[in-house]
Amino acid sequence: MSFKRNLLSTLSIISLAGASLPINISAQETTEANQTEVESSEKGLSYTYEEAAKRVDEDFYDQYLSSLHYYGITDEMLASLPKGTVREAAIEYLMALPTGGDISMPYAHFKKLYPEIVENKQTSTEKESSNSKDKGLSYTYEEAAEKVDQGFYDEYLYSLHYYGVTDEMLTKLPKDAVREAAIQYLIKLPTGGDITMPYNNFKKLYPEIFSQSDSESNKQSQTKTKNNNEDPSKHEKLTQHLSDLKEDSEEEKEGLPLNYNFTTESGEYTIKYVSLLAPATAGNQDQVLPMLVVKYEFENTSDQKVMDYAHAWDQQVFFSQFKEDSMNKLEPANYQLDPDQEVFPKYEEVDSGEQTTVTAYYQLMDTESPLTLSIAENETISDFDLKIEDLLKLPNQSALYLNDSNQGYLFDFNTLYVLNPSQDLVNQLDLEIQNPSDFELSKEANVQLEKLNENDVEAIKLENINYQVTEEEQIEVINEYEEVILTLESQSNWNDFEDLNGQIYQIVE
């Protein structure tokens, strides 16, 4: 398992002295006798009331309480409830969500049980938790510093890098500023959070490094603060929504329309492409599971430069799978084209009126559980079924195929190159044949073309395409106007495929 994969789970679950949370853990093996206490092996890990109560009394009570404290539920507020209320809520939570959720989920669960406790709460979503031991799991400064020096520093720094904070930007700060920020983060949030949280914490501490110049500092800082104040509420609503979704998971959801768009205060997002990248191909180093790939376009409709559009996306867009009786949010995946080279996403500032295209990657939990996209826009949340069964039928996203006549296809996500095409096809599509080196090629496409003698290849390039599965199980290639331009038919797991002319193409390893 890679460092970044370790990070994503560590950010979701941070505990003292190796204590493990029942959040994001896999179902544990049980003996024959213990299996009778589980609802059904087909339904995944579950707790009886007695098992959940034992787990709560061992360590989970503090972890559940810490989530309440983090979101501003004070002991004074809890004192108005009957004795034992929090313990009973924690037990019920474990019985309902034995394997899923992040730090927001216990709070969302408790808020649903006791809305009267929080209806007048005016605290922010990052209210500092108490450091005293009687208020749940916590770190002293010394304990947090030790944890940071033992490895959490790298994990905190990865979140900053992931959202575009460069080492050059960090050099503007005093020495050890990142270490100190990581320590304070652990003191405030000892039980974790997701990958967005360290970045959000750091940006509030040092907004000045996100400005291009001192003269613009105040203006841009105010704009960014305004945008960020909006994000946590949407993030919290989405978290609550995922908790509610498990109750109506069987309800049919609509599919995602082509080029679906939604707006935020700073701009418009358009989802251009959704696919699954097969295991051990391109930047998916996982040998077992595909990687969810999502390409979206961001247009800055504000009058300011915008840099944190990727962070805003992660705050307002959740991908999840319904598994083991709960909705499980997917975390960003480790896309690494070169397994020996650490690469972080690069998010450049977008000027007012300009656009940029971003590719986001998410690690699936499995290939059977339903895959849902949830988007928070204004006061509504929209859910879409991504139809995982159809995504699994689509072509390999980064692969080269040839037939016996040296004609072929190079699949490069939402770009398709037809190699040595027939003149009829060229005329039909009204495209110019060029040498591949004349095109602006992605790194992935270059890797595939290295398998060929480039002097023997000419190609046409189909850009901004999408795929759709027909009732006859054929794969249609459609352009941005939703016109079908090619039709393919897979013979197996895309080791080969056939076109409508009966030509068979074999994958080039």
Side-chain angles (χ1 to χ4, degrees):
M1 183 176 290
S2 69
F3 165 73
K4 283 191 273 189
R5 187 76 47 75
N6 276 320
L7 161 66
L8 297 176
S9 26
T10 303
L11 283 176
S12 296
I13 307 169
I14 305 172
S15 55
L16 281 173
S20 60
L21 287 168
I23 297 175
N24 294 336
I25 61 174
S26 302
Q28 300 177 358
E29 296 181 359
T30 59
T31 63
E32 292 287 338
N34 289 338
Q35 287 178 3
T36 61
E37 299 179 1
V38 179
E39 291 180 1
S40 166
S41 59
E42 295 180 351
K43 292 185 178 179
L45 177 64
S46 62
Y47 287 104
T48 64
Y49 180 90
E50 291 74 17
E51 290 171 331
K54 181 180 178 183
R55 187 61 188 266
V56 167
D57 293 339
E58 285 176 348
D59 59 9
F60 186 69
Y61 178 87
D62 284 344
Q63 296 160 16
Y64 188 92
L65 184 61
S66 182
S67 174
L68 305 189
H69 285 158
Y70 176 72
Y71 285 101
I73 304 297
T74 65
D75 287 341
E76 289 75 17
M77 297 163 72
L78 296 175
S80 64
L81 298 174
K83 184 178 180 181
T85 294
V86 176
R87 179 178 181 273
E88 285 300 316
I91 293 171
E92 180 180 321
Y93 176 87
L94 280 187
M95 294 174 67
L97 293 168
T99 61
D102 58 24
I103 189 172
S104 309
M105 298 296 274
Y107 168 75
H109 170 258
F110 189 83
K111 183 177 179 180
K112 188 175 180 181
L113 289 177
Y114 301 101
E116 68 276 10
I117 293 295
V118 296
E119 62 184 359
N120 295 320
K121 180 171 65 68
Q122 300 297 323
T123 56
S124 70
T125 59
E126 291 202 4
K127 180 180 176 71
E128 180 172 343
S129 300
S130 169
N131 291 334
S132 63
K133 295 294 182 180
D134 63 348
K135 288 188 178 181
L137 179 64
S138 62
Y139 285 108
T140 64
Y141 182 91
E142 291 73 19
E143 290 170 332
E146 182 180 5
K147 186 78 174 179
V148 167
D149 293 339
Q150 287 177 347
F152 186 72
Y153 177 89
D154 289 336
E155 298 166 0
Y156 188 92
L157 184 61
Y158 173 69
S159 175
L160 307 188
H161 283 160
Y162 184 84
Y163 288 111
V165 180
T166 65
D167 289 334
E168 181 180 1
M169 295 166 69
L170 295 176
T171 59
K172 302 175 183 178
L173 299 176
K175 184 179 178 181
D176 293 332
V178 176
R179 178 179 181 273
E180 188 63 30
I183 293 171
Q184 295 302 325
Y185 176 84
L186 279 186
I187 293 173
K188 290 182 178 181
L189 188 54
T191 57
D194 60 29
I195 192 173
T196 69
M197 288 186 169
Y199 168 83
N200 203 37
N201 165 260
F202 189 79
K203 190 171 184 180
K204 289 183 177 181
L205 291 176
Y206 300 105
E208 65 273 14
I209 73 166
F210 294 89
S211 300
Q212 286 296 299
S213 66
D214 292 339
S215 61
E216 297 178 348
S217 179
N218 291 336
K219 187 176 182 181
Q220 291 193 11
S221 176
Q222 290 172 2
T223 301
K224 293 175 185 295
T225 300
K226 182 178 181 181
N227 291 339
N228 281 338
N229 285 342
E230 181 183 46
D231 287 342
S233 63
K234 286 187 169 60
H235 189 278
E236 183 181 324
K237 287 178 182 177
L238 273 172
T239 300
Q240 175 68 60
H241 182 68
L242 287 193
S243 178
D244 295 339
L245 268 182
K246 74 183 186 68
E247 300 174 2
D248 59 356
S249 61
E250 299 302 320
E251 292 187 9
E252 186 173 349
K253 303 176 181 67
E254 66 174 309
L256 180 69
L258 190 66
N259 292 321
Y260 182 83
N261 62 76
F262 62 96
T263 59
T264 66
E265 187 173 300
S266 58
E268 180 175 282
Y269 292 82
T270 302
I271 301 176
K272 306 294 290 185
Y273 187 71
V274 178
S275 65
L276 294 180
L277 178 61
T281 60
N284 184 7
Q285 301 299 323
D286 195 299
Q287 301 296 310
V288 178
L289 287 173
M291 180 182 290
L292 177 64
V293 180
V294 182
K295 290 181 179 288
Y296 65 88
E297 181 181 88
F298 171 75
E299 180 180 0
N300 181 2
T301 58
S302 73
D303 58 358
Q304 302 287 331
K305 291 182 178 181
V306 176
M307 179 177 175
D308 58 353
Y309 45 88
H311 183 253
W313 166 275
D314 285 341
Q315 291 284 302
Q316 296 179 225
V317 178
F318 279 14
F319 295 89
S320 59
Q321 286 187 277
F322 183 77
K323 182 179 181 181
E324 297 174 343
D325 298 330
S326 63
M327 294 299 295
N328 299 271
K329 178 191 170 189
L330 303 186
E331 296 296 342
N334 172 16
Y335 187 87
Q336 200 167 342
L337 192 59
D338 183 348
D340 298 322
Q341 183 177 1
E342 189 86 19
V343 178
F344 296 100
K346 294 181 179 179
Y347 301 120
E348 303 294 338
E349 283 196 335
V350 181
D351 290 332
S352 178
E354 297 296 317
Q355 298 176 340
T356 188
T357 300
V358 180
T359 305
Y361 306 94
Y362 303 87
Q363 191 62 55
L364 293 182
M365 301 182 66
D366 58 41
T367 56
E368 294 81 32
S369 302
L371 180 60
T372 299
L373 164 62
S374 301
I375 301 174
E377 181 182 9
N378 299 322
E379 298 302 317
T380 64
I381 296 178
S382 302
D383 296 310
F384 301 97
D385 181 4
L386 294 185
K387 301 186 185 303
I388 191 171
E389 65 278 4
D390 284 349
L391 291 178
L392 289 165
K393 297 173 184 175
L394 299 185
N396 287 331
Q397 296 300 295
S398 182
L400 174 67
Y401 295 82
L402 292 176
N403 65 8
D404 293 337
S405 302
N406 204 36
Q407 294 176 312
Y409 293 85
L410 194 168
F411 294 90
D412 187 30
F413 299 94
N414 61 334
T415 300
L416 177 61
Y417 299 88
V418 185
L419 308 179
N420 297 325
S422 67
Q423 191 59 49
D424 287 343
L425 181 61
V426 174
N427 293 339
Q428 174 190 334
L429 298 177
D430 193 24
L431 293 171
E432 180 183 356
I433 299 179
Q434 300 185 55
N435 186 285
S437 61
D438 294 332
F439 295 118
E440 185 176 344
L441 299 170
S442 68
K443 292 180 180 179
E444 290 84 354
N446 273 314
V447 169
Q448 297 299 329
L449 284 174
E450 287 176 358
K451 302 173 183 178
L452 299 175
N453 182 346
E454 193 173 307
N455 295 326
D456 297 335
V457 178
E458 292 182 318
I460 56 176
K461 182 179 183 180
L462 309 178
E463 298 181 273
N464 300 317
I465 62 168
N466 268 277
Y467 299 96
Q468 61 187 19
V469 181
T470 69
E471 293 182 358
E472 294 78 23
E473 299 293 305
Q474 293 178 328
I475 309 299
E476 293 180 338
V477 182
I478 59 177
N479 61 20
E480 56 188 322
Y481 307 108
E482 300 188 54
E483 301 169 334
V484 178
I485 52 180
L486 290 173
T487 303
L488 312 172
E489 187 168 349
S490 172
Q491 301 297 313
S492 58
N493 292 325
W494 287 95
N495 292 320
D496 54 52
F497 70 90
E498 184 177 345
D499 64 16
L500 285 185
N501 297 321
Q503 291 289 317
I504 297 177
Y505 299 85
Q506 301 282 342
I507 193 168
V508 179
E509 300 288 358

